[in-house]
Amino acid sequence: MSSAPVQSAEQDSVEMSYAEAIRDALDIALGEDERVVLMGEDIGVYGGAFQVTGDLVNKYGEDRVMDTPISELGGAGVAVGAAATGLRPIFEFQFSDFAMLAMEQICNQAAKMRYMLGGEVSVPVVMRFPAGSGTGAAAQHSQSLEAWFGHVPGLKVVQPATPYDAKGLILAALDDPDPVMIFEHKILYKQKGLVPKGRYTVPLHKAEIRRAGADITIVASSIMVHRSLEAAELLFDKGVSAEVIDLKSIRPIDKQTIIESVVKTNKLICVYEGVKTLGIGAEISALVAESAAFDYLDAPILRLGAADCPVPYNPELEKASVPQVENIYQQALALCRREL
Amino acid sequence: MSSAPVQSAEQDSVEMSYAEAIRDALDIALGEDERVVLMGEDIGVYGGAFQVTGDLVNKYGEDRVMDTPISELGGAGVAVGAAATGLRPIFEFQFSDFAMLAMEQICNQAAKMRYMLGGEVSVPVVMRFPAGSGTGAAAQHSQSLEAWFGHVPGLKVVQPATPYDAKGLILAALDDPDPVMIFEHKILYKQKGLVPKGRYTVPLHKAEIRRAGADITIVASSIMVHRSLEAAELLFDKGVSAEVIDLKSIRPIDKQTIIESVVKTNKLICVYEGVKTLGIGAEISALVAESAAFDYLDAPILRLGAADCPVPYNPELEKASVPQVENIYQQALALCRREL
Amino acid sequence: MMSKATDSRTNVPFAINAYTKEQLKEALRKMYLIRKFEEGAEDCYMRGLIHGTMHLSIGQEASAVGSCMALEESDQITSTHRGHAHCVAKGAEVSRMFAEFFGKETGYCKGRGGSMHIADVAKGNLGANGIVAGGIPIAVGAALTAKRLNTGKVVICFFGDGANNEGAFHESLNMAAVWKLPVVFVCENNQYGMSTSIERSTAVSQIATRAIAYDIPGFTVDGNDLSSVAEAVSEASSRAKSGKGPSLIECMTYRWRGHSKSDRNRYRTKEEIEDWKKKDPILRFGEVLKDHKVITDEEMKQLETDVDKEIVAAIEFAQSSPSPSLDEVTRDVYTEIDQ
Amino acid sequence: MMSKATDSRTNVPFAINAYTKEQLKEALRKMYLIRKFEEGAEDCYMRGLIHGTMHLSIGQEASAVGSCMALEESDQITSTHRGHAHCVAKGAEVSRMFAEFFGKETGYCKGRGGSMHIADVAKGNLGANGIVAGGIPIAVGAALTAKRLNTGKVVICFFGDGANNEGAFHESLNMAAVWKLPVVFVCENNQYGMSTSIERSTAVSQIATRAIAYDIPGFTVDGNDLSSVAEAVSEASSRAKSGKGPSLIECMTYRWRGHSKSDRNRYRTKEEIEDWKKKDPILRFGEVLKDHKVITDEEMKQLETDVDKEIVAAIEFAQSSPSPSLDEVTRDVYTEIDQ
Ligand SMILES: Cc1ncc(C[n+]2csc(CCOP(=O)(O)OP(=O)(O)O)c2C)c(N)n1
Ligand SMILES: Cc1ncc(C[n+]2csc(CCOP(=O)(O)OP(=O)(O)O)c2C)c(N)n1
Ligand SMILES: [Mg+2]
Ligand SMILES: [Mg+2]
């Protein structure tokens, strides 16, 4: 179901986790290009809070895999300045929540520098944001803030859902001359999948149909792709054929893939982990509602996002605060039966 | 057209500018309650970058009208801590763009503190954000970032469009036990209007129909309310009766007022100054598309927001980057004629 | 910058002179209670009864208890991700702390916060914080309230060595100094921010040096010696209450456990850890109390037994407490008001 | 922290010994050019030809020119909202600067940036910045590039006294110091951040004191004396290039004009302004050059006339340049690539 790797046959693939796939991408990048440096808190000897960088510091040394002080604003800014002058920094936020400290350097500087300077400079910085809930780490360590970044011209924003895409999107981000924000999901880090050896890229601006269907379109991102695929199985048992689209890119959003699907299924539900209000589902809904696909809609456009609260600590509450398979299934079914 | 003041007859109103109306509200607040303190950069002897605080420091002294160092994160955090412990701080960002430095204290702390602490504390902080383009101050001094804040549970977010609302919303924000973010528009500061003397409040969660109409609903916020009203005049000349809703509150959004209007007019266009993608129009569109009003829609839902670029310096480019009366008029007309 | 003269111990330690026997015994009890609370929490975590993560301060008890000893009950603190000790030291009940860790409605945060947000506002603990240095500006804000409303309170702001490289540290200390606010900045320097040592992250070797950048007093004390901590903090607190503004106190200490539950301890040696275990602040303070005849061996045993019982009862309370209702997931986001 | 010995002037000022006559004359010419450029811009603004706002550095020319004099053309700078002087000093053409202010395609930022984002990347000016302290981490990043890629470059990071209270200042200086990066932090202390004086905003009386918090050299120099600035910066820059890390140099100076075009000047007295006008850095440096027979009165006159002509021509160039096309409002947001 995933798009064909650029340069490798099936047998050249190995099974690895999402975290390992990212590490593989970082390893390739560090090996290929001396301008690549990794920066972040505890990414060296500790191997990263989620063991994504692992032992890379042993292979490339502390000058290439740099532990920064706990200084998110300054650290991100150093990455921005380095990118603008010739390095290819990949900056890891330990948790995406801490990016709130660095919004200025990301959104006032990196995103705008090229434009403000009339195109005279590029800022090829890559930033990685471990995001999402499910770890019991509560309100300040569990957010899904990708919608904020999607609102900012000058950035590109992606959300890989599989090991394959995680690796391919990181390498594509590195090839890209502009700032790319990668929202990874903490719960996916351990998820396994087939990943081609060596270098390949996944386009930064394309969604992908993960399951073809005729009755309803489910647009999902990150971990919600998996939950939506599970829900699609349940729906199938009820005679509902759901098409599941993995959004992948938040900025730009691949309108065409979504619209073509909706023209076919006539129904749309958006599933995402960020807070529902002003989350990415709002944009997807609005994109369709303003498009020619509007006339093909047979039912309201539904959104399933996080509840209107910070992420709670209690594990049951935490689960209740974000969409689960059952919610997706129920809502999709109700939409198809127009029982809302 | 504006809602009736809580406690004052017409003759008790005076004409004043939006900036003066805000100052009036601050003056009343400082006079009524010794717990109220104003904090911000250059709000004392300088009177604020936009002369909103004016001479209040002379009346209340430097302990009540506090010039802060240029430390947005710390300053906002001090306001948050003070609010949590008994003061009623009103914090002015000199430009809303600089709030990017303080997102952590606003969105990780102020917005979540009550919830994370199980309701054991309230954070009645008011923050004021001069926003918007039109001053030739370019990309880092002209943004409209209200959508970011609207995405954050725990905050309330308003955007006054008139002197009357500016004063009434500030006083309502002060009465509110939770953090309230007020997005003011720099270009509106000089706009005049009738404002009742003394204390009154405007509800923090209600939109208002500024012009009744039958053919199309225009939901607009802040300065776009005025542009939409002008566009409605032009539409009227073409035989189109537009209903113009002043959104006022971004969080929560007054769904009911919008939906009732759309049920009546069957057409919706959202006009806002923030970047179109993932801006407040996305949420309004999605709210309607998921509601019972969906079945009443006769045409796609349109959004008019800022172009996909940082705000440019050149005045003509700057204008071209955000919706103007002509754009609203043209798009609304096209929508009514379904000529899209 | 400079070490407190206390360390030279001309004769009796400060604490022995400054506090009553009851207070001193209570301080020792609190250190025990913190230790046992954290060991109990760790055990529950290992057994899968508590989820999420937690940051244990085992080995650092003296800085929490010594600091809070210098405070009145009405004084306030802000705490950190490694905040259990601060919470107990400021007077919280371990039963409600456990209940929080178990995610229960009876917990201090009604199960919404967990370890990283543990608080006890009634006792003046404005909360742990998931954001490194996140509590520093908040402490300064609380001190502003104290000054403006003339409450006479002082605020202790706890933070780690790693936090001192955050911009919030700098901005906050500057404002507190310029406005002469009643706040005491207590840096618990356990020499690592997660895996990153002071030498690799911080341009000065003693964090107290940074006091010079704000023209405020800065002291480095032995953070495993309760009396030294109490002395420095009570001096700083008196200074603050008399309107002379903030101080920065650096408590040199060490955490025995990993940073959090996912630490493989690759960045420090077994020897270093073992060395520091020999400097156990609880044993040390116990010895001092015995030396000065404040407590007997039997009394100490009794104290320990009582604490053990308290912990068992607290865990039972937590386990048997009701869980939050799933319908109430959005409760307490906003204050309920009649519109 | 300490004043440079330069001020005692045992005999000849540093600059006279360190630079050729041509270089010295060029420095004087640049100061003139900056002054005239800003007066010209101010005039155009008053006449409604330039919109937006601008921050003039009239009176502060020595710190910009003295600092950049110590650099090679390939070295880099980051600048501030008050950045015209830095831009000219680093070698920009005033014609393209005016074109930018007039919002033209021929401007350095193609009319997208204006005064607050003026830059000349080719000459090593990475840009003014609308965000106070926004350029500080960027400068450290540029220095990281220099170190990792062994380019031998040094980076000067300009910022104001007000900026030193931003968290970005603290975080950046710490990182630059820990990593020993080739960057020189030049604080142009004109004693006010907008309306707020150092005393009311900053806990230390000299910003160079804060160097202690990063264990780096810190010096306060007379910022209106070009030679003192050049001496301090060239020393710091050599130090940086030799791998010894950053320095913090504080240039004491003053802006003659208001903060921006909306300033009512309520926070300082006429007398203070007049006093500082007597310390005009251009006149001072002109006198030094005459004293040391580097330039004659006639040459100086000629220089001034030439500059005046250059300004007139530059404004003409700007006015007659094409405006951006409205269709291209989203051009240069992203790099154009073939997908
Ligand atoms: C802003 C922010 N950055 C990073 C983290 C992740 N983190 C949690 S604790 C910690 C180390 C903190 O070190 P220190 O301040 O010395 O406290 P200690 O853990 O040693 O008690 C880090 C990096 C965080 N929670 N918040
Ligand atoms: C982050 C941020 N806060 C506030 C401002 C508004 N502002 C622009 S310049 C300025 C004063 C800066 O003072 P200083 O650093 O001393 O530079 P100077 O203007 O004196 O050259 C302020 C407050 C800003 N542009 N950016
Ligand atoms: Mg530490
Ligand atoms: Mg200044």
Side-chain angles (χ1 to χ4, degrees):
Chain A
M1 290 249 174
S2 39
S3 64
V6 171
Q7 43 124 281
S8 64
E10 281 275 322
Q11 64 268 35
D12 280 346
S13 289
V14 283
E15 187 163 274
M16 56 174 87
S17 73
Y18 185 96
E20 286 162 351
I22 296 170
R23 179 153 68 248
D24 192 22
L26 300 177
D27 194 355
I28 291 171
L30 285 160
E32 278 179 357
D33 186 347
E34 63 148 12
R35 298 170 309 163
V36 172
V37 293
L38 311 190
M39 299 179 64
E41 292 161 17
D42 307 290
I43 65 167
V45 58
Y46 198 92
F50 299 98
Q51 292 302 311
V52 170
T53 45
D55 291 330
L56 289 174
V57 69
N58 295 339
K59 187 161 170 191
Y60 297 101
E62 292 194 358
D63 281 358
R64 306 285 307 283
V65 181
M66 297 173 67
D67 274 335
T68 61
I70 312 179
S71 309
E72 285 79 7
L73 175 63
V78 169
V80 171
T85 51
L87 289 182
R88 288 283 188 160
I90 306 180
F91 188 87
E92 174 180 300
F93 283 93
Q94 200 160 82
F95 284 74
S96 65
D97 313 67
F98 313 154
M100 284 197 199
L101 286 160
M103 296 309 283
E104 200 285 296
Q105 283 294 326
I106 302 171
C107 301
N108 271 336
Q109 309 293 342
K112 298 180 170 58
M113 201 183 291
R114 179 173 179 77
Y115 188 80
M116 292 186 304
L117 269 55
E120 295 296 319
V121 75
S122 292
V123 186
V125 70
V126 178
M127 297 193 176
R128 300 181 35 245
F129 303 84
S133 65
T135 66
Q140 293 171 335
H141 283 72
S142 306
Q143 294 167 86
S144 298
L145 296 169
E146 56 282 350
W148 278 4
F149 296 84
H151 188 47
V152 181
L155 302 180
K156 298 181 182 182
V157 186
V158 295
Q159 267 189 308
T162 64
Y164 180 95
D165 280 353
K167 177 174 171 184
L169 285 170
I170 291 210
L171 288 168
L174 254 169
D175 287 351
D176 197 273
D178 296 317
V180 182
M181 311 289 116
I182 304 184
F183 280 79
E184 303 166 0
H185 201 291
K186 283 167 266 172
I187 297 294
L188 292 179
Y189 279 133
K190 299 214 163 120
Q191 185 137 335
K192 302 237 166 179
L194 273 185
V195 174
K197 288 183 182 169
R199 169 179 259 283
Y200 67 95
T201 59
V202 169
L204 290 175
H205 58 288
K206 278 230 178 314
E208 183 179 341
I209 297 172
R210 292 282 180 191
R211 176 187 175 117
D215 300 331
I216 182 170
T217 300
I218 305 180
V219 176
S221 78
S222 189
I223 199 168
M224 294 300 160
V225 173
H226 305 285
R227 294 195 187 151
S228 298
L229 287 168
E230 278 188 58
E233 286 296 323
L234 300 177
L235 288 166
F236 187 75
D237 294 343
K238 295 280 175 186
V240 173
S241 158
E243 177 143 307
V244 178
I245 296 178
D246 177 353
L247 189 62
K248 291 192 198 181
S249 175
I250 309 303
R251 168 165 276 272
I253 287 178
D254 179 0
K255 254 202 290 204
Q256 203 190 338
T257 300
I258 297 168
I259 286 172
E260 280 170 12
S261 177
V262 172
V263 165
K264 185 173 70 173
T265 65
N266 316 121
K267 283 176 222 71
L268 172 61
I269 180 164
C270 317
V271 190
Y272 50 110
E273 187 169 344
V275 169
K276 181 184 169 190
T277 304
L278 276 160
I280 58 175
E283 181 61 29
I284 297 162
S285 171
L287 276 178
V288 170
E290 77 189 359
S291 77
F294 170 81
D295 287 321
Y296 292 83
L297 284 169
D298 280 350
I301 303 172
L302 290 198
R303 293 179 292 162
L304 273 177
D308 226 7
C309 60
V311 177
Y313 163 69
N314 173 295
E316 300 308 319
L317 287 182
E318 187 184 20
K319 257 195 190 154
S321 77
V322 295
Q324 304 296 332
V325 175
E326 182 65 20
N327 310 121
I328 304 170
Y329 163 69
Q330 292 293 357
Q331 290 289 303
L333 198 62
L335 187 68
C336 287
R337 297 181 174 166
R338 292 239 38 194
E339 285 166 353
L340 293 164
Chain B
M1 289 248 171
S2 39
S3 65
V6 170
Q7 44 125 279
S8 64
E10 282 274 323
Q11 65 268 34
D12 278 346
S13 290
V14 283
E15 187 163 275
M16 56 174 87
S17 73
Y18 186 94
E20 286 161 349
I22 297 169
R23 180 154 66 246
D24 192 23
L26 301 176
D27 195 355
I28 290 171
L30 286 161
E32 277 179 356
D33 187 347
E34 62 148 15
R35 299 171 308 163
V36 173
V37 293
L38 310 189
M39 298 179 64
E41 291 161 16
D42 308 290
I43 64 168
V45 57
Y46 198 92
F50 299 99
Q51 292 302 311
V52 171
T53 46
D55 291 330
L56 289 174
V57 69
N58 296 338
K59 187 161 170 190
Y60 297 101
E62 291 194 358
D63 281 357
R64 307 283 309 283
V65 181
M66 298 173 65
D67 274 336
T68 62
I70 311 179
S71 308
E72 286 78 8
L73 175 63
V78 170
V80 171
T85 51
L87 288 182
R88 288 285 187 158
I90 306 179
F91 188 88
E92 174 180 301
F93 283 93
Q94 200 161 86
F95 285 74
S96 66
D97 314 66
F98 312 154
M100 284 197 198
L101 287 160
M103 295 311 281
E104 200 288 293
Q105 283 293 326
I106 302 171
C107 301
N108 272 336
Q109 309 292 343
K112 298 180 170 58
M113 200 181 291
R114 179 173 180 76
Y115 188 80
M116 293 187 304
L117 270 54
E120 295 295 319
V121 76
S122 293
V123 186
V125 70
V126 177
M127 297 192 175
R128 300 180 35 245
F129 304 84
S133 66
T135 65
Q140 294 171 334
H141 284 73
S142 305
Q143 293 168 86
S144 298
L145 296 169
E146 56 282 349
W148 277 4
F149 297 83
H151 188 47
V152 181
L155 301 181
K156 298 181 181 182
V157 186
V158 295
Q159 266 189 309
T162 64
Y164 179 93
D165 281 353
K167 177 174 170 184
L169 286 170
I170 291 210
L171 288 169
L174 255 168
D175 287 350
D176 196 273
D178 297 316
V180 182
M181 311 288 117
I182 304 183
F183 281 78
E184 303 165 0
H185 201 291
K186 284 167 264 173
I187 297 295
L188 292 180
Y189 279 134
K190 298 214 166 122
Q191 186 138 336
K192 302 238 167 177
L194 272 186
V195 174
K197 288 183 182 169
R199 171 178 257 286
Y200 66 96
T201 59
V202 169
L204 291 174
H205 57 289
K206 278 230 179 312
E208 181 178 342
I209 297 171
R210 292 281 180 192
R211 177 187 174 117
D215 300 331
I216 183 170
T217 300
I218 305 179
V219 177
S221 78
S222 189
I223 200 167
M224 293 301 162
V225 173
H226 303 285
R227 294 195 188 151
S228 297
L229 287 168
E230 277 188 60
E233 286 295 323
L234 301 177
L235 289 165
F236 187 75
D237 294 343
K238 295 280 174 184
V240 172
S241 158
E243 177 144 309
V244 177
I245 296 178
D246 177 353
L247 188 62
K248 292 192 196 179
S249 176
I250 309 305
R251 169 167 275 273
I253 287 178
D254 179 0
K255 256 203 289 204
Q256 201 191 337
T257 300
I258 297 169
I259 286 173
E260 280 170 13
S261 176
V262 172
V263 165
K264 183 173 72 175
T265 65
N266 315 119
K267 282 176 222 74
L268 173 61
I269 179 165
C270 316
V271 189
Y272 50 111
E273 186 168 345
V275 170
K276 180 183 170 190
T277 304
L278 276 160
I280 58 174
E283 181 61 30
I284 296 162
S285 171
L287 275 179
V288 170
E290 76 189 0
S291 76
F294 170 80
D295 287 320
Y296 292 84
L297 285 169
D298 281 350
I301 303 172
L302 289 199
R303 292 179 293 163
L304 273 177
D308 227 6
C309 60
V311 177
Y313 163 69
N314 173 294
E316 300 308 319
L317 287 181
E318 186 185 20
K319 258 196 190 155
S321 75
V322 294
Q324 304 295 333
V325 174
E326 182 66 18
N327 308 120
I328 305 169
Y329 163 71
Q330 292 293 356
Q331 290 288 306
L333 198 62
L335 187 67
C336 287
R337 297 182 175 165
R338 295 244 29 200
E339 286 167 352
L340 294 163
Chain C
M1 137 218 199
M2 58 211 97
S3 287
K4 289 289 297 178
T6 327
D7 277 347
S8 62
R9 302 211 197 178
T10 41
N11 33 33
V12 248
F14 167 83
I16 301 295
N17 283 332
Y19 299 105
T20 65
K21 281 195 177 188
E22 289 320 302
Q23 288 175 316
L24 292 167
K25 280 193 261 187
E26 175 58 13
L28 184 65
R29 196 190 70 83
K30 274 197 175 150
M31 286 206 281
Y32 271 134
L33 188 60
I34 292 165
R35 178 74 55 90
K36 296 293 175 183
F37 172 82
E38 291 202 304
E39 286 173 356
E42 187 174 35
D43 181 59
C44 292
Y45 184 90
M46 293 311 192
R47 287 159 53 207
L49 299 172
I50 293 178
H51 88 141
T53 188
M54 60 172 67
H55 306 87
L56 301 173
S57 59
I58 293 176
Q60 303 187 178
E61 295 86 352
S63 75
V65 177
S67 295
C68 291
M69 212 176 164
L71 299 186
E72 313 282 323
E73 183 168 314
S74 60
D75 291 332
Q76 294 170 317
I77 67 168
T78 61
S79 167
T80 70
H81 60 286
R82 199 176 303 287
H84 309 158
H86 310 141
C87 198
V88 175
K90 194 68 181 63
E93 292 164 26
V94 287
S95 54
R96 293 193 60 196
M97 290 177 68
F98 272 119
E100 186 55 36
F101 289 17
F102 280 76
K104 300 301 179 68
E105 270 292 344
T106 53
Y108 274 111
C109 310
K110 317 229 167 79
R112 272 71 175 174
S115 160
M116 262 194 290
H117 304 292
I118 195 77
D120 181 2
V121 180
K123 285 276 166 60
N125 178 357
L126 299 173
N129 213 303
I131 302 299
V132 167
I136 307 184
I138 293 173
V140 177
L144 180 68
T145 299
K147 181 158 181 167
R148 286 287 179 274
L149 301 185
N150 274 309
T151 63
K153 292 184 192 181
V154 68
V155 183
I156 287 189
C157 173
F158 288 106
F159 59 97
D161 49 288
N164 103 101
N165 294 318
E166 284 282 9
F169 164 88
H170 175 67
E171 297 184 4
S172 301
L173 268 75
N174 183 60
M175 279 184 284
V178 169
W179 297 331
K180 297 211 181 304
L181 299 181
V183 52
V184 180
F185 298 103
V186 175
C187 178
E188 297 184 293
N189 184 348
N190 60 11
Q191 302 166 62
Y192 295 89
M194 203 153 159
S195 70
T196 312
S197 66
I198 280 274
E199 298 77 48
R200 295 177 57 241
S201 67
T202 306
V204 281
S205 53
Q206 291 294 166
I207 286 159
T209 309
R210 291 192 164 164
I212 297 173
Y214 314 102
D215 199 16
I216 61 174
F219 297 102
T220 301
V221 300
D222 179 346
N224 280 14
D225 176 34
L226 184 136
S227 180
S228 299
V229 174
E231 181 175 14
V233 174
S234 51
E235 213 170 85
S237 144
S238 307
R239 187 186 146 87
K241 287 193 179 188
S242 72
K244 296 201 187 111
S247 306
L248 172 57
I249 301 195
E250 177 183 25
C251 301
M252 298 307 299
T253 184
Y254 200 80
R255 62 168 156 74
W256 295 4
R257 296 293 192 273
H259 165 72
S260 69
K261 303 314 299 171
S262 65
D263 190 337
R264 294 173 304 164
N265 249 326
R266 288 213 177 161
Y267 49 90
R268 46 184 205 174
T269 61
K270 283 228 173 68
E271 294 71 48
E272 185 180 289
I273 300 172
E274 291 310 317
D275 271 2
W276 273 93
K277 282 192 178 170
K278 290 178 201 137
K279 304 181 196 160
D280 184 343
I282 303 183
L283 288 185
R284 273 176 72 181
F285 190 58
E287 289 305 314
V288 171
L289 293 196
K290 283 197 284 178
D291 284 356
H292 291 85
K293 313 266 182 272
V294 175
I295 201 166
T296 64
D297 271 322
E298 277 101 80
E299 283 177 306
M300 252 167 81
K301 271 261 135 12
Q302 185 59 44
L303 209 143
E304 241 180 295
T305 319
D306 291 349
V307 162
D308 285 341
K309 279 190 203 146
E310 190 174 345
I311 295 293
V312 171
I315 293 177
E316 260 171 40
F317 169 81
Q319 282 191 290
S320 62
S321 285
S323 289
S325 150
L326 295 191
D327 303 336
E328 297 192 329
V329 68
T330 61
R331 196 194 66 201
D332 291 329
V333 177
Y334 297 99
T335 309
E336 278 193 46
I337 37 173
D338 311 313
Q339 303 269 17
Chain D
M1 158 202 187
M2 59 214 98
S3 287
K4 291 286 297 174
T6 329
D7 278 346
S8 64
R9 304 209 195 178
T10 40
N11 34 34
V12 249
F14 166 85
I16 300 295
N17 283 332
Y19 299 104
T20 64
K21 282 195 176 189
E22 287 320 300
Q23 288 174 315
L24 292 167
K25 279 193 263 187
E26 175 59 12
L28 184 66
R29 194 190 71 83
K30 274 196 175 150
M31 287 208 280
Y32 271 134
L33 188 60
I34 291 166
R35 177 75 54 92
K36 296 291 175 185
F37 172 80
E38 290 202 306
E39 287 173 354
E42 186 175 37
D43 181 59
C44 291
Y45 184 90
M46 293 308 192
R47 285 160 52 207
L49 299 172
I50 294 178
H51 88 140
T53 188
M54 60 172 67
H55 306 87
L56 301 172
S57 60
I58 293 176
Q60 305 187 177
E61 295 86 355
S63 74
V65 176
S67 295
C68 292
M69 214 178 164
L71 300 186
E72 312 282 321
E73 182 166 317
S74 59
D75 292 331
Q76 292 169 318
I77 67 168
T78 61
S79 167
T80 70
H81 60 285
R82 199 175 304 287
H84 310 156
H86 310 142
C87 200
V88 174
K90 195 66 181 65
E93 290 164 28
V94 287
S95 55
R96 292 194 60 196
M97 289 177 67
F98 272 119
E100 187 54 36
F101 290 17
F102 280 77
K104 300 300 179 72
E105 272 293 343
T106 53
Y108 274 111
C109 310
K110 315 225 168 80
R112 271 73 174 172
S115 159
M116 263 194 289
H117 304 292
I118 196 78
D120 182 1
V121 180
K123 286 275 165 61
N125 179 358
L126 299 173
N129 212 304
I131 302 298
V132 166
I136 306 184
I138 294 173
V140 176
L144 180 68
T145 299
K147 181 158 182 168
R148 287 287 178 274
L149 301 185
N150 274 310
T151 63
K153 291 183 191 180
V154 69
V155 184
I156 286 189
C157 173
F158 288 106
F159 59 97
D161 48 289
N164 102 101
N165 294 319
E166 285 281 7
F169 164 89
H170 174 67
E171 298 184 5
S172 302
L173 268 75
N174 183 60
M175 280 184 283
V178 169
W179 297 331
K180 296 212 180 303
L181 299 181
V183 51
V184 180
F185 298 103
V186 176
C187 178
E188 297 183 294
N189 184 347
N190 60 13
Q191 304 165 61
Y192 295 88
M194 205 154 155
S195 69
T196 311
S197 65
I198 279 274
E199 298 79 46
R200 295 178 57 240
S201 67
T202 307
V204 282
S205 54
Q206 290 295 167
I207 287 160
T209 309
R210 292 192 163 165
I212 298 174
Y214 314 103
D215 199 16
I216 60 173
F219 297 102
T220 301
V221 300
D222 179 346
N224 280 13
D225 176 34
L226 184 135
S227 180
S228 299
V229 174
E231 181 174 18
V233 174
S234 51
E235 215 170 82
S237 145
S238 307
R239 186 185 147 88
K241 288 194 179 187
S242 72
K244 295 199 188 114
S247 307
L248 172 58
I249 300 189
E250 177 183 25
C251 301
M252 298 307 299
T253 184
Y254 200 80
R255 62 168 155 74
W256 294 6
R257 295 293 193 273
H259 165 71
S260 69
K261 303 315 299 172
S262 64
D263 190 337
R264 294 172 304 163
N265 248 325
R266 289 213 180 161
Y267 49 90
R268 45 184 207 175
T269 60
K270 285 229 172 72
E271 294 71 47
E272 183 180 292
I273 301 172
E274 290 311 317
D275 271 1
W276 274 94
K277 283 192 177 169
K278 289 179 200 138
K279 305 181 195 160
D280 184 344
I282 303 183
L283 288 185
R284 272 176 72 180
F285 190 59
E287 288 307 313
V288 171
L289 294 196
K290 283 198 286 180
D291 283 357
H292 292 85
K293 312 266 181 277
V294 175
I295 200 166
T296 63
D297 271 323
E298 276 101 80
E299 283 176 306
M300 253 167 77
K301 270 262 136 11
Q302 185 62 42
L303 211 144
E304 242 181 297
T305 319
D306 290 351
V307 162
D308 286 340
K309 278 191 204 147
E310 191 174 344
I311 295 294
V312 171
I315 294 177
E316 258 170 40
F317 169 82
Q319 282 191 292
S320 62
S321 284
S323 288
S325 150
L326 295 191
D327 303 336
E328 296 193 329
V329 69
T330 61
R331 195 193 67 200
D332 291 328
V333 177
Y334 297 99
T335 309
E336 278 194 45
I337 38 174
D338 311 316
Q339 304 268 14

